[in-house]
Amino acid sequence: MAYIINREDWAESAELWKGEFTGKSCGTNVSVIFYSTHKIGGGPDLHTHPYPETFIIRSGNARFTVGDEVIDAHAGQIVIAPANIPHKFKNLGPDLLETIDIHANDVFITEWLE
């Protein structure tokens, strides 16, 4: 059986790619956060998951901290944070930052460190 998840079921805004869904209800081991911010310096604080997280940068520029590494990434790049490694990212500006954050799990499990 195929599943179709409509935008109005996951999006917080009709204009921005911002929102989330968990795969548990669809029987998949993937959950997704669609992240969007205009705010320079905006982004999630340091945290970790017991599974890998993959970040697809749709637009903008971001500074990722993954463990001891600092990575400046831009639209079109993909950054992967391994399981149990602290990570965060911040919008470097000057424009909108949009990411698709793929969690390799059917629900979100996050330990916030900041």
Side-chain angles (χ1 to χ4, degrees):
M1 177 175 158
Y3 288 90
I4 297 175
I5 302 166
N6 294 310
R7 183 181 177 98
E8 58 268 13
D9 295 330
W10 64 263
E12 296 175 17
S13 163
E15 296 83 38
L16 297 173
W17 278 68
K18 187 169 185 167
E20 61 185 48
F21 80 89
T22 57
K24 188 171 186 173
S25 64
C26 301
T28 184
N29 287 330
V30 174
S31 296
V32 179
I33 296 174
F34 299 93
Y35 185 82
S36 181
T37 186
H38 283 93
K39 180 181 175 188
I40 295 176
D45 291 332
L46 193 68
H47 62 282
T48 189
H49 313 283
Y51 49 79
E53 184 173 7
T54 301
F55 304 91
I56 301 169
I57 305 166
R58 283 181 35 94
S59 66
N61 302 288
R63 175 162 292 147
F64 285 80
T65 301
V66 181
D68 295 332
E69 292 182 78
V70 176
I71 302 158
D72 287 349
H74 56 81
Q77 291 186 306
I78 298 171
V79 177
I80 300 169
N84 301 307
I85 301 297
H87 57 277
K88 65 181 178 179
F89 65 87
K90 302 297 178 192
N91 183 6
L92 289 176
D95 301 314
L96 174 70
L97 172 65
E98 287 186 316
T99 64
I100 299 173
D101 309 341
I102 302 168
H103 292 239
N105 205 47
D106 64 350
V107 295
F108 299 113
I109 302 171
T110 304
E111 179 183 353
W112 293 101
L113 305 173
E114 293 183 325

